[in-house]
Amino acid sequence: MKNDSVKGQYRVNEQIHVREVRIVGDDIESIVIPTYKAIQMAQEKEVDLVEISPNATPPVCRLIDYSKFLYQLKKRQKEQKAKQVKVEVKEIRFGPQTGDNDYNFKLKHAIEFLEDGNKVKAYVFFRGRSILFKEQGEVLLLRFANDLEDYAKVEQMPVLEGKRMTIQLAPKPGVTKKKVVTKPQQQSKGKEVVSSVMQHKGTTLADALKPEDAIKLQGQTEE
């Protein structure tokens, strides 16, 4: 059935009813001639007249063996399909007070996911009263994005949905397994957050957070 649908996409020989066509092919100069002459030329060369661009003025036809034409078409379609990479979204979960060791372990996995061409959705899950630490969760996700800035771009800034605060990252073009893995940054006492995380949005950390939260964070980093 698939082969039939491919065949049905192109008119061949006597199926071409326009008055004139532009012919192209191997060792053939592109010229416009009456359709009946193009068919005669195809017969003399023991090939077919295949209409490859019906919407052109006049329509473009190729002098080629129709079976060979279909084979080439299917081969190109197969190659294009092979090049299409299935992008998966890998999830990484944090707690609002994740320690350095756990953080660095998950950062390493995130780099591996990105190098494989996958997107990364990192989220902080708040249990019970831990929702009170949502600002800490936001800082953690922003720090995570900043530590991955050589590997990923931010597709979605931190957003709180129920008990989850989520950020989504996509791999940067050219990121591969050959890329040198930088040493993960240690979590500082003041919970440092670098403003370059925001560059893709053209904003700053203070703009992304609530005013009162930005003031708190500024006080923490100055300690």
Side-chain angles (χ1 to χ4, degrees):
M1 295 300 290
K2 271 187 179 180
N3 293 344
D4 292 339
S5 66
V6 171
K7 286 181 180 179
Q9 293 177 12
Y10 301 93
R11 286 190 283 266
V12 184
N13 300 324
E14 286 77 13
Q15 296 175 353
I16 305 169
H17 300 302
V18 294
R19 181 173 295 180
E20 60 183 14
V21 296
R22 178 179 296 278
I23 59 169
V24 296
D26 299 332
D27 302 321
I28 294 176
E29 183 181 353
S30 176
I31 57 173
V32 177
I33 60 174
T35 303
Y36 75 90
K37 283 190 177 181
I39 293 175
Q40 288 176 358
M41 188 181 295
Q43 291 172 345
E44 290 171 3
K45 291 180 175 291
E46 298 183 346
V47 292
D48 299 293
L49 184 70
V50 183
E51 186 182 56
I52 59 174
S53 185
N55 296 325
T57 306
V60 179
C61 296
R62 186 175 179 187
L63 294 180
I64 187 173
D65 181 89
Y66 189 44
S67 299
K68 182 180 178 181
F69 172 77
L70 290 177
Y71 171 78
Q72 291 176 345
L73 182 66
K74 291 172 192 173
K75 186 179 179 181
R76 282 198 300 270
Q77 291 176 341
K78 222 173 185 180
E79 289 172 351
Q80 289 174 355
K81 189 175 182 181
K83 288 179 182 178
Q84 293 176 350
V85 180
K86 185 179 179 183
V87 178
E88 296 183 14
V89 179
K90 301 291 187 177
E91 291 194 348
I92 293 181
R93 171 175 168 168
F94 291 102
Q97 296 177 314
T98 299
D100 281 347
N101 290 337
D102 191 27
Y103 175 87
N104 291 334
F105 177 78
K106 291 176 178 179
L107 183 65
K108 180 181 176 182
H109 276 290
I111 291 173
E112 292 173 354
F113 293 148
L114 292 164
E115 288 177 333
D116 287 336
N118 299 309
K119 294 185 179 183
V120 171
K121 180 183 283 188
Y123 67 92
V124 178
F125 184 76
F126 300 98
R127 289 181 180 274
R129 292 178 60 84
S130 67
I131 193 67
L132 298 173
F133 299 101
K134 62 179 183 292
E135 288 82 7
Q136 285 182 244
E138 186 172 13
V139 171
L140 176 64
L141 293 178
L142 292 175
R143 175 196 170 206
F144 187 67
N146 182 69
D147 287 349
L148 292 170
E149 64 180 349
D150 289 339
Y151 302 88
K153 58 183 179 181
V154 179
E155 278 195 334
Q156 175 188 292
M157 293 299 288
V159 57
L160 183 63
E161 298 173 339
K163 295 183 178 181
R164 283 187 178 193
M165 182 173 287
T166 306
I167 192 171
Q168 184 153 310
L169 310 169
K172 282 186 175 179
V175 171
T176 65
K177 288 284 188 184
K178 295 179 182 179
K179 191 169 182 69
V180 177
V181 179
T182 56
K183 186 177 180 181
Q185 300 176 13
Q186 292 295 318
Q187 187 173 10
S188 66
K189 189 175 181 181
K191 304 172 185 174
E192 295 179 359
V193 180
V194 182
S195 61
S196 60
V197 177
M198 303 297 184
Q199 287 178 355
H200 77 290
K201 289 284 186 181
T203 185
T204 64
L205 176 60
D207 294 327
L209 301 177
K210 298 175 184 177
E212 59 270 22
D213 296 335
I215 292 171
K216 290 178 184 177
L217 288 173
Q218 185 177 3
Q220 291 176 346
T221 54
E222 288 176 353
E223 288 179 358

